[in-house]
Amino acid sequence: MRRKAVLGRGQSCRWGGTGGRDGTPTAPGSALHPRPTPTRAWRGVLALLVAAAVAVPLAGAARPQPPAPPPAHLAPPTPATLATTYAAHRANAREASRMAAEHGDHHRADVERTLASSQLLDFDGRGSGLATEVLGDLAHADRVAVLVPGSDTGLDTYGRFRATALALHGRLTREAPAGTRTAVVAWLGYETPGTVSTAVATTGRAEEAAPRLRDLVRDVRAVAGRHVRLSLLCHSYGSVVCARAAGRLAADDIALLGSPGTGADTAAGLRTGARIWAARGAGDWVGDVPHLSADLLGTTVGFGADPVSPEFGARVFAAGDGGHSDYFAPGSASLANLTRIVLGETRAVTS
């Protein structure tokens, strides 16, 4: 049964825990897991959400986005049309860069100029921006990793997301067995929520993004072929997106990195045939966030069970001492294990 915090008139707050610090299950009300009540911590969470609802729109309004052309509308890509798809989106990114420069937003112009020389399955420079970049030869890949980002990812912060894709692609290229071809798809295909916002604590953005992610996976398989082994690497709020898409998504592996939860009680609850992996670095602040869900005024806040808990049932792998943004850091245990997962070397994954 799903454990959920329900706040209503005259009601207290209640939720179930996942265990002590060593992972040992503990009962609610025990010394290690006292039964929580709606104390200052809960009131602080609610106050933060209310404050964010006011502050974030005002902050966003202070910085207008640069103008950009409408995106190119193309048929789904195939091996025969892939080069044409890349060219059309590169041209759109080039025009967006020119318009951003004329507007005086030179940082955005630089980002879009870089993308204008990349392999793009999609690009939209309007608003916070969307882009789907391919690293490697997608049409001939045997193994493909799709990166799904979390909060505060847009064209203005695209450099850090691209760095994760480059780090993974570089390691895959070095470690792939002879004859195994790899590609990485950096999918910024949805409007990510702000870290300090009400949207980051609800599934709304994920619900909107899930159909787009399914479309992306379908397009990747149409280009690379049905034989391709596909892994989704989902960071932070991106794990909520992957969870919402999982039931109707043709993936072989789904890795949840620094996940706040998925909205499901267990890995089986994602209703997918993919292997479900999970990891959290020792320095990741998500480990200090309560894994709960609460019904507030008709909206569910929070994502429930902790994906690295034994009760969730994912394949938990080592992520080292890194923080929330370190899962693809060169030389890290997490990047080594993600590389093994993508390459299908599952027995070599460390825990």
Side-chain angles (χ1 to χ4, degrees), residues 210-279:
R212 300 177 187 176
L213 180 56
R214 294 188 197 108
D215 289 344
L216 180 277
V217 169
R218 184 192 62 231
D219 290 348
V220 166
R221 288 196 175 277
V223 171
R226 294 188 178 276
H227 69 281
V228 69
R229 302 290 293 182
L230 191 146
S231 302
L232 289 179
L233 311 184
C234 317
H235 179 241
S236 193
Y237 189 87
S239 66
V240 185
V241 175
C242 290
R244 283 297 182 270
R248 289 183 287 164
L249 189 150
D252 298 289
D253 293 275
I254 299 176
L256 311 173
L257 312 170
S259 174
T262 64
D265 291 328
T266 64
L270 298 178
R271 300 185 182 279
T272 173
R275 287 179 293 238
I276 304 298
W277 304 82

Coordinates of all heavy atoms in Angstrom, one line a residue, residues 210-279:
A210 N 6.7 13.4 -20.5 CA 6.7 11.9 -20.7 C 6.4 11.6 -22.2 O 7.1 10.8 -22.8 CB 5.8 11.2 -19.7
P211 N 5.3 12.1 -22.8 CA 5.1 11.7 -24.2 C 6.2 12.2 -25.1 O 6.5 11.5 -26.1 CB 3.8 12.5 -24.5 CG 3.1 12.8 -23.2 CD 4.3 13.0 -22.2
R212 N 6.8 13.3 -24.8 CA 7.9 13.7 -25.7 C 9.1 12.8 -25.5 O 9.8 12.5 -26.5 CB 8.4 15.2 -25.3 CG 7.2 16.2 -25.4 CD 7.7 17.5 -24.9 NE 6.6 18.5 -24.8 CZ 6.7 19.7 -24.4 NH1 7.9 20.2 -23.9 NH2 5.7 20.5 -24.4
L213 N 9.4 12.3 -24.3 CA 10.5 11.3 -24.2 C 10.2 10.0 -24.9 O 11.1 9.5 -25.5 CB 10.7 11.1 -22.7 CG 11.8 10.1 -22.3 CD1 13.1 10.5 -22.9 CD2 11.9 9.9 -20.8
R214 N 8.9 9.6 -24.9 CA 8.6 8.4 -25.6 C 8.8 8.6 -27.1 O 9.3 7.7 -27.8 CB 7.1 8.0 -25.3 CG 6.9 7.6 -23.9 CD 5.4 7.0 -23.8 NE 5.0 7.0 -22.4 CZ 4.1 7.8 -21.8 NH1 3.5 8.7 -22.6 NH2 3.8 7.7 -20.6
D215 N 8.4 9.8 -27.6 CA 8.6 10.1 -29.0 C 10.1 10.1 -29.3 O 10.5 9.6 -30.4 CB 8.1 11.5 -29.3 CG 6.5 11.5 -29.3 OD1 5.9 10.4 -29.4 OD2 6.0 12.6 -29.3
L216 N 10.9 10.6 -28.5 CA 12.4 10.6 -28.7 C 13.0 9.2 -28.8 O 13.7 8.9 -29.7 CB 13.1 11.4 -27.6 CG 14.6 11.6 -27.6 CD1 15.3 10.5 -27.0 CD2 15.1 12.0 -29.0
V217 N 12.6 8.4 -27.9 CA 13.0 7.0 -27.9 C 12.6 6.3 -29.2 O 13.3 5.5 -29.8 CB 12.6 6.2 -26.6 CG1 12.8 4.7 -26.8 CG2 13.3 6.8 -25.4
R218 N 11.4 6.5 -29.6 CA 10.9 5.9 -30.8 C 11.7 6.4 -32.0 O 12.1 5.6 -32.9 CB 9.4 6.3 -31.0 CG 8.8 5.7 -32.3 CD 7.4 6.3 -32.6 NE 7.6 7.7 -32.9 CZ 6.9 8.7 -32.4 NH1 6.0 8.4 -31.5 NH2 7.1 9.9 -32.8
D219 N 12.0 7.7 -32.0 CA 12.8 8.2 -33.1 C 14.3 7.7 -33.1 O 14.8 7.3 -34.2 CB 12.9 9.8 -33.0 CG 11.6 10.5 -33.3 OD1 10.7 9.8 -33.9 OD2 11.5 11.7 -33.1
V220 N 14.8 7.5 -31.9 CA 16.2 6.9 -31.8 C 16.2 5.5 -32.4 O 17.1 5.1 -33.1 CB 16.7 6.9 -30.4 CG1 17.9 6.1 -30.2 CG2 17.0 8.4 -29.9
R221 N 15.2 4.7 -32.0 CA 15.1 3.4 -32.5 C 14.8 3.3 -34.0 O 15.3 2.4 -34.7 CB 14.0 2.6 -31.7 CG 14.5 2.3 -30.3 CD 13.6 1.2 -29.7 NE 14.1 0.8 -28.4 CZ 15.1 -0.1 -28.1 NH1 15.7 -0.6 -29.1 NH2 15.5 -0.3 -26.9
A222 N 14.1 4.3 -34.5 CA 13.8 4.3 -36.0 C 15.1 4.6 -36.7 O 15.3 4.1 -37.8 CB 12.8 5.4 -36.3
V223 N 16.0 5.4 -36.1 CA 17.3 5.7 -36.8 C 18.3 4.6 -36.6 O 19.0 4.1 -37.5 CB 17.8 7.0 -36.3 CG1 19.3 7.3 -36.8 CG2 16.9 8.2 -36.7
A224 N 18.5 4.2 -35.3 CA 19.5 3.2 -35.0 C 19.1 1.8 -35.3 O 20.0 0.9 -35.4 CB 19.9 3.3 -33.5
G225 N 17.8 1.5 -35.4 CA 17.4 0.1 -35.6 C 16.9 -0.6 -34.4 O 17.3 -0.2 -33.2
R226 N 16.0 -1.5 -34.5 CA 15.4 -2.2 -33.4 C 16.4 -3.0 -32.6 O 16.2 -3.4 -31.4 CB 14.3 -3.1 -33.8 CG 13.1 -2.3 -34.4 CD 11.9 -3.2 -34.7 NE 10.8 -2.5 -35.3 CZ 9.9 -1.8 -34.5 NH1 10.1 -1.9 -33.2 NH2 8.9 -1.2 -35.1
H227 N 17.6 -3.3 -33.1 CA 18.6 -4.1 -32.4 C 19.3 -3.3 -31.3 O 19.9 -3.9 -30.4 CB 19.7 -4.6 -33.4 CG 20.5 -3.4 -33.9 ND1 20.1 -2.6 -34.9 CD2 21.7 -3.0 -33.6 CE1 21.0 -1.7 -35.2 NE2 22.0 -1.9 -34.3
V228 N 19.2 -2.0 -31.4 CA 20.0 -1.1 -30.5 C 19.6 -1.3 -29.1 O 18.4 -1.5 -28.8 CB 19.9 0.4 -30.9 CG1 18.5 0.9 -30.6 CG2 20.9 1.2 -30.2
R229 N 20.6 -1.4 -28.2 CA 20.3 -1.4 -26.7 C 20.3 0.0 -26.2 O 21.3 0.7 -26.4 CB 21.4 -2.3 -26.1 CG 21.6 -3.7 -26.6 CD 20.4 -4.6 -26.2 NE 20.3 -4.8 -24.8 CZ 19.4 -5.6 -24.2 NH1 18.4 -6.2 -25.0 NH2 19.4 -5.8 -22.9
L230 N 19.2 0.4 -25.6 CA 19.0 1.7 -25.2 C 18.9 1.9 -23.7 O 18.2 1.2 -23.0 CB 17.8 2.3 -25.9 CG 17.5 3.8 -25.8 CD1 16.9 4.3 -27.1 CD2 16.7 4.1 -24.6
S231 N 19.7 2.8 -23.1 CA 19.7 3.1 -21.7 C 19.3 4.5 -21.4 O 19.7 5.4 -22.1 CB 21.1 2.9 -21.1 OG 21.5 1.6 -21.3
L232 N 18.4 4.7 -20.5 CA 18.0 6.1 -20.0 C 18.7 6.4 -18.7 O 18.6 5.6 -17.8 CB 16.5 6.1 -19.8 CG 15.5 6.1 -21.0 CD1 14.1 6.2 -20.5 CD2 15.8 7.2 -22.0
L233 N 19.4 7.5 -18.7 CA 20.1 7.9 -17.5 C 19.5 9.2 -17.0 O 19.6 10.2 -17.7 CB 21.6 8.1 -17.8 CG 22.3 7.0 -18.6 CD1 23.8 7.3 -18.8 CD2 22.1 5.6 -17.9
C234 N 18.7 9.1 -15.9 CA 17.8 10.1 -15.5 C 18.2 10.8 -14.2 O 18.3 10.1 -13.2 CB 16.4 9.5 -15.4 SG 16.0 8.3 -16.6
H235 N 18.6 12.1 -14.3 CA 19.1 12.8 -13.2 C 18.1 13.6 -12.4 O 17.3 14.4 -13.1 CB 20.3 13.7 -13.6 CG 20.9 14.5 -12.5 ND1 20.9 15.8 -12.5 CD2 21.5 14.0 -11.4 CE1 21.5 16.2 -11.4 NE2 21.9 15.2 -10.7
S236 N 18.0 13.5 -11.1 CA 17.2 14.4 -10.3 C 15.7 14.4 -10.7 O 15.1 13.3 -10.8 CB 17.8 15.8 -10.3 OG 17.2 16.6 -9.3
Y237 N 15.2 15.5 -11.1 CA 13.8 15.6 -11.5 C 13.6 14.8 -12.8 O 12.5 14.3 -13.1 CB 13.3 17.0 -11.7 CG 11.8 17.2 -12.0 CD1 10.9 17.3 -10.9 CD2 11.3 17.2 -13.3 CE1 9.5 17.4 -11.1 CE2 10.0 17.3 -13.5 CZ 9.1 17.4 -12.4 OH 7.7 17.5 -12.7
G238 N 14.6 14.6 -13.6 CA 14.6 13.8 -14.8 C 14.1 12.4 -14.5 O 13.6 11.7 -15.3
S239 N 14.4 11.9 -13.3 CA 14.0 10.6 -12.9 C 12.5 10.5 -12.8 O 11.8 9.4 -13.0 CB 14.6 10.1 -11.6 OG 14.2 10.9 -10.5
V240 N 11.8 11.6 -12.4 CA 10.4 11.7 -12.4 C 9.8 11.6 -13.8 O 8.8 10.9 -14.0 CB 9.9 12.9 -11.6 CG1 8.4 12.9 -11.5 CG2 10.6 13.1 -10.3
V241 N 10.5 12.3 -14.7 CA 10.1 12.2 -16.1 C 10.2 10.8 -16.6 O 9.3 10.3 -17.3 CB 10.9 13.2 -17.0 CG1 10.6 13.0 -18.4 CG2 10.8 14.6 -16.5
C242 N 11.3 10.1 -16.4 CA 11.5 8.8 -16.9 C 10.5 7.8 -16.3 O 10.0 6.9 -16.9 CB 12.9 8.3 -16.5 SG 14.2 9.1 -17.5
A243 N 10.2 8.0 -15.0 CA 9.2 7.2 -14.3 C 7.8 7.3 -15.0 O 7.1 6.3 -15.2 CB 9.1 7.5 -12.9
R244 N 7.4 8.5 -15.3 CA 6.1 8.8 -16.0 C 6.1 8.2 -17.4 O 5.0 7.8 -17.8 CB 5.9 10.3 -16.0 CG 5.4 10.9 -14.7 CD 4.1 10.2 -14.3 NE 3.6 10.8 -13.0 CZ 3.8 10.3 -11.8 NH1 4.7 9.3 -11.7 NH2 3.3 10.9 -10.8
A245 N 7.2 8.1 -18.0 CA 7.3 7.6 -19.4 C 7.5 6.1 -19.4 O 7.2 5.4 -20.5 CB 8.4 8.3 -20.2
A246 N 8.0 5.5 -18.4 CA 8.5 4.1 -18.4 C 7.6 3.0 -18.9 O 8.0 2.1 -19.6 CB 9.0 3.7 -17.0
G247 N 6.3 3.1 -18.5 CA 5.4 2.1 -18.8 C 5.2 1.8 -20.3 O 4.8 0.7 -20.7
R248 N 5.4 2.9 -21.1 CA 5.2 2.7 -22.6 C 6.4 3.2 -23.3 O 6.4 3.8 -24.3 CB 4.0 3.5 -23.0 CG 2.7 2.9 -22.6 CD 1.5 3.7 -23.1 NE 1.3 5.0 -22.4 CZ 0.6 6.0 -22.9 NH1 0.0 5.9 -24.0 NH2 0.5 7.1 -22.2
L249 N 7.6 2.8 -22.8 CA 8.9 3.2 -23.4 C 9.8 2.1 -23.6 O 10.0 1.3 -22.7 CB 9.5 4.3 -22.4 CG 10.7 5.0 -22.9 CD1 10.7 6.4 -22.2 CD2 11.9 4.3 -22.5
A250 N 10.3 1.9 -24.8 CA 11.1 0.8 -25.1 C 12.6 1.0 -24.8 O 13.4 1.3 -25.6 CB 11.0 0.5 -26.6
A251 N 12.9 0.8 -23.5 CA 14.3 1.0 -23.0 C 14.7 -0.4 -22.4 O 13.9 -1.2 -21.9 CB 14.3 2.1 -21.9
D252 N 16.0 -0.6 -22.4 CA 16.6 -1.8 -21.8 C 17.0 -1.6 -20.4 O 16.9 -2.5 -19.5 CB 17.8 -2.3 -22.6 CG 17.4 -2.6 -24.1 OD1 16.7 -3.7 -24.2 OD2 17.7 -1.9 -25.0
D253 N 17.5 -0.4 -20.1 CA 17.9 0.0 -18.7 C 17.5 1.4 -18.4 O 17.5 2.3 -19.3 CB 19.4 -0.1 -18.6 CG 20.0 -1.5 -18.7 OD1 20.0 -2.2 -17.7 OD2 20.4 -1.9 -19.8
I254 N 17.1 1.6 -17.2 CA 16.7 3.0 -16.7 C 17.5 3.2 -15.4 O 17.3 2.4 -14.4 CB 15.2 3.2 -16.4 CG1 14.4 2.9 -17.7 CG2 14.9 4.5 -15.9 CD1 12.9 3.0 -17.6
A255 N 18.3 4.2 -15.4 CA 19.1 4.5 -14.2 C 18.6 5.8 -13.6 O 18.5 6.8 -14.3 CB 20.6 4.6 -14.5
L256 N 18.3 5.8 -12.3 CA 17.8 6.9 -11.5 C 18.9 7.5 -10.7 O 19.4 6.8 -9.8 CB 16.6 6.5 -10.6 CG 15.5 5.7 -11.3 CD1 14.5 5.1 -10.3 CD2 14.9 6.5 -12.4
L257 N 19.3 8.7 -11.0 CA 20.5 9.3 -10.3 C 20.1 10.5 -9.5 O 19.5 11.4 -10.0 CB 21.5 9.8 -11.4 CG 21.8 8.8 -12.5 CD1 22.6 9.5 -13.6 CD2 22.6 7.6 -12.0
G258 N 20.4 10.4 -8.2 CA 20.1 11.5 -7.3 C 18.6 11.8 -7.3 O 18.2 12.9 -7.3
S259 N 17.8 10.7 -7.3 CA 16.4 10.9 -7.5 C 15.6 11.3 -6.2 O 15.9 10.7 -5.2 CB 15.8 9.5 -8.0 OG 14.4 9.6 -8.1
P260 N 14.7 12.2 -6.3 CA 13.9 12.6 -5.2 C 12.7 11.6 -5.0 O 11.9 11.7 -4.0 CB 13.3 13.9 -5.6 CG 13.2 13.9 -7.1 CD 14.4 13.1 -7.5
G261 N 12.6 10.6 -5.9 CA 11.5 9.6 -5.9 C 10.9 9.6 -7.3 O 11.2 10.4 -8.2
T262 N 10.0 8.6 -7.5 CA 9.5 8.5 -8.8 C 7.9 8.6 -8.9 O 7.3 8.6 -9.9 CB 9.8 7.1 -9.4 OG1 9.2 6.1 -8.6 CG2 11.3 6.9 -9.5
G263 N 7.3 8.6 -7.7 CA 5.9 8.5 -7.6 C 5.4 7.1 -7.5 O 4.2 6.9 -7.2
A264 N 6.3 6.1 -7.6 CA 5.9 4.7 -7.5 C 6.5 4.2 -6.2 O 7.5 4.7 -5.7 CB 6.4 3.9 -8.6
D265 N 5.8 3.2 -5.6 CA 6.3 2.6 -4.3 C 7.5 1.7 -4.5 O 8.3 1.6 -3.6 CB 5.2 1.9 -3.6 CG 4.1 2.8 -3.1 OD1 4.4 3.9 -2.7 OD2 2.9 2.4 -3.1
T266 N 7.5 1.1 -5.7 CA 8.6 0.1 -6.0 C 9.0 0.2 -7.4 O 8.3 0.8 -8.3 CB 8.1 -1.3 -5.7 OG1 7.0 -1.6 -6.7 CG2 7.6 -1.5 -4.3
A267 N 10.1 -0.4 -7.7 CA 10.6 -0.5 -9.1 C 9.5 -1.2 -10.0 O 9.3 -0.8 -11.2 CB 11.9 -1.2 -9.2
A268 N 8.9 -2.2 -9.5 CA 7.9 -3.0 -10.2 C 6.7 -2.1 -10.5 O 6.1 -2.3 -11.6 CB 7.5 -4.2 -9.4
G269 N 6.5 -1.1 -9.7 CA 5.4 -0.2 -9.9 C 5.6 0.7 -11.1 O 4.6 1.4 -11.6
L270 N 6.8 0.8 -11.7 CA 7.0 1.6 -12.9 C 6.5 0.8 -14.1 O 6.4 1.4 -15.2 CB 8.5 1.8 -13.1 CG 9.1 2.7 -12.0 CD1 10.6 2.8 -12.2 CD2 8.5 4.0 -11.8
R271 N 6.2 -0.4 -14.0 CA 5.5 -1.2 -15.1 C 6.3 -1.2 -16.4 O 5.8 -0.9 -17.4 CB 4.1 -0.7 -15.3 CG 3.2 -0.8 -14.0 CD 1.8 -0.5 -14.3 NE 1.0 -0.5 -13.1 CZ 0.5 -1.6 -12.5 NH1 0.7 -2.8 -13.1 NH2 -0.2 -1.6 -11.4
T272 N 7.6 -1.5 -16.3 CA 8.4 -1.6 -17.4 C 9.3 -2.8 -17.4 O 9.6 -3.4 -16.3 CB 9.4 -0.3 -17.5 OG1 10.3 -0.5 -18.6 CG2 10.2 -0.2 -16.2
G273 N 9.6 -3.3 -18.6 CA 10.5 -4.5 -18.7 C 12.0 -4.1 -18.5 O 12.8 -5.0 -18.5
A274 N 12.3 -2.8 -18.5 CA 13.7 -2.4 -18.3 C 14.2 -2.7 -17.0 O 13.5 -2.7 -16.0 CB 13.7 -0.9 -18.6
R275 N 15.5 -2.9 -16.9 CA 16.2 -3.1 -15.6 C 16.2 -1.7 -15.0 O 16.5 -0.7 -15.6 CB 17.6 -3.6 -15.7 CG 17.7 -5.1 -16.1 CD 19.1 -5.5 -16.3 NE 19.7 -4.8 -17.4 CZ 20.3 -5.5 -18.4 NH1 20.3 -6.8 -18.5 NH2 20.8 -4.9 -19.5
I276 N 15.9 -1.6 -13.7 CA 15.8 -0.3 -13.0 C 17.0 -0.3 -12.0 O 17.2 -1.1 -11.2 CB 14.5 -0.1 -12.2 CG1 13.3 -0.3 -13.1 CG2 14.5 1.2 -11.5 CD1 13.2 0.8 -14.2
W277 N 17.9 0.8 -12.3 CA 19.0 1.0 -11.4 C 18.8 2.3 -10.7 O 18.1 3.2 -11.1 CB 20.3 1.2 -12.3 CG 20.6 0.0 -13.2 CD1 20.0 -0.2 -14.5 CD2 21.5 -1.1 -13.0 NE1 20.5 -1.4 -15.0 CE2 21.4 -1.9 -14.2 CE3 22.4 -1.4 -12.0 CZ2 22.2 -3.0 -14.3 CZ3 23.2 -2.5 -12.1 CH2 23.1 -3.3 -13.3
A278 N 19.6 2.4 -9.5 CA 19.5 3.7 -8.8 C 20.8 3.9 -8.0 O 21.5 3.0 -7.7 CB 18.3 3.6 -7.7
A279 N 21.1 5.2 -7.9 CA 22.4 5.5 -7.2 C 22.2 6.9 -6.6 O 21.5 7.8 -7.1 CB 23.6 5.5 -8.1

